[in-house]
Amino acid sequence: MADGPMVVLSDESQRTSGEDARSMNLEAGRAVAETIRTTLGPRGMDKMLVDQGGNVVITNDGVTLLEEMDVDHPAADMIVDVATTQEEEVGDGTTSAVILAGALLANAEELLEQDIHPTSIVAGYRHAAETVTEVFEDIATEVDPDDTEVLEQVAGTAMTGKGAETAKDLLSSMVVSAVRAAVREDGTVDQDAVDVRQFYGASIDDSEFVDGILFDIEPVHQNMSRNLEDANVLVYEGDIEVSESEVGAEASVGDMTDLQGFVEREQSELADKVDKIVEAGADVVLADGGIDEYAAELLVENGITAFRRVDDDKRQRVAAATGAERVGDLKLLTSEHLGHAGSVHERVIRDVTVRRQADHESTVVFGDLPEEGVGTILLRGGTEHVLDEVERAVVDSIGVVSAAIEDGNVLPGGGAPEIEASLALREEADSVEGREQLAVEAFAEAFEDGPRTLAENAGHDAIDALVDMTARHDAGDVNVGIDADTGELVEMFEDGVVEPLRVKTTAVNSAVDASTMILRIDDVVSAGDLSVGGEDEEEGGAGGPPGGMGGMGGGMGGMM
Ligand code: ADP
Ligand code: MG
């Protein structure tokens, strides 16, 4: 061991350095972006993913696809993170962000081949990202939270291509109502206040916005009222059962008199608890824990409707919306703790296929609530795949409408901002010194990948579209983009294709962060096999896609 390098790695681990490491990472990252390319835009295709258990997901949603794909190459993972970040921050634009990251990596690869140092590329990309952000802010249009038309366009744009099209107008208007109701005093949107629920059967057009909280569990007793007005609501963090210590005494029960006394003690304990609830004046009780049968009967006698084992999320929502203060100990309960609901009523919604354990034959709606801004978007649809995809579209849509309201600015869609920024970057590049200049140009080119893909996926000539769009933008038509349905270049605000500024700026930032992070890596030390192109045989080997897709194992097997 005298003259060899000191060994710090185990035999199993692999080490790849310098150019090899970089090109392996670039390739893995690009491969991920490539897989979701065809889904971009309203005319994008869907993908069907089949996992090893045979479960099928059909989607057009970037982040869903990437998450389902079970990517297991670390660099590829960073690209998946781009989508995840985008999803968390705005809820839409995941495919665009990943496509941009892929294009940035591809163009970086070319620069590396020309012996441009990664550091220069990173600096150029960072510079370009700043320029782009400025351009986007410059061309953004202000939007008023009361401007229903534009907000519905924002909602609709996020839904396109996701099987929600037939009911786009209806869903968009529901989303805007729901989000608008959830705007808080400080101008932020409380997205948690908007619940999205699926009910099978009927068609998407039968979806509706319910101004209240939907509660798909039954009261604990058959004879409890499901229709109440002006109800005082108790949100209770405990159970109405006999306490543990009493139950433990059972073992020592000997003769009948003892048993009698034992039962009486139990019943009086329960009666005490119910009394507290009655004294406080509650009409409806949501309990975290169970409710004893005897206690349920006492509650019925007192005209109280009670629900047991209500999950935390529901208790939280009802508490917030009714103004109830959660109570942990009934001994401390006063009327002050109760919330209020103008109405609690039953709605029968037939849920025809029983996919989940619960068959929501009927549901209780808490309505006329004092705290504004809770609403439920009730989605109907014939099959689970359709309904799941519509739900994803609606959730994306809630995200973008929220962003548009919170930030108050929007951009045209259809590739318009990308072309505008790309032009600005080419101009900017002239003033950038040295090799960084090439990176800024590479960024400009990468940015055209989005509009190109939009045109391609819609079946139009991508080169023509790019040339024409660039000419129009050069002439000052800032808002001109491609109409994916007709292939025509149109003014996007008139066409109703509108996106919040945040979707675009977040996409640029996360794509740049991920690609520059990958570029800076020049050494990969790994505990397992990471070679790009090699299939991971042990892990399923379900016939993943051929060549170049190394590192994407298992879940990808059934992609069509
Ligand atoms: P992402 O996951 O990035 O949101 P999408 O498949 O939703 O991917 O596609 C978004 C892109 O499609 C955006 O560039 C958006 O402007 C564009 N787009 C949406 N609707 C239209 C339309 N009707 N015409 C042209 N472009 C559209
Ligand atoms: Mg989208």
Side-chain angles (χ1 to χ4, degrees), residues 16-23 521-524:
T16 321
S17 306
E19 272 172 41
D20 286 347
R22 204 172 286 115
S23 74
I521 298 168
D522 78 341
D523 201 359
V524 176

Side-chain angles (χ1 to χ4, degrees), residues 92-94 157-160 162 396 499:
D92 188 32
T94 53
T157 301
M159 277 178 210
T160 46
K162 292 198 171 58
D396 281 6
E499 297 186 88

Side-chain angles (χ1 to χ4, degrees), residues 39-42 92-96 157 160 413-414 454 482 484 497 499 504:
T39 68
L40 184 78
D92 188 32
T94 53
T95 314
S96 309
T157 301
T160 46
L454 264 182
I482 185 163
V497 182
E499 297 186 88
K504 294 293 174 191

Side-chain angles (χ1 to χ4, degrees), residues 450-463:
R452 181 186 298 121
T453 309
L454 264 182
E456 242 166 50
N457 288 351
H460 306 298
D461 187 309
I463 296 176

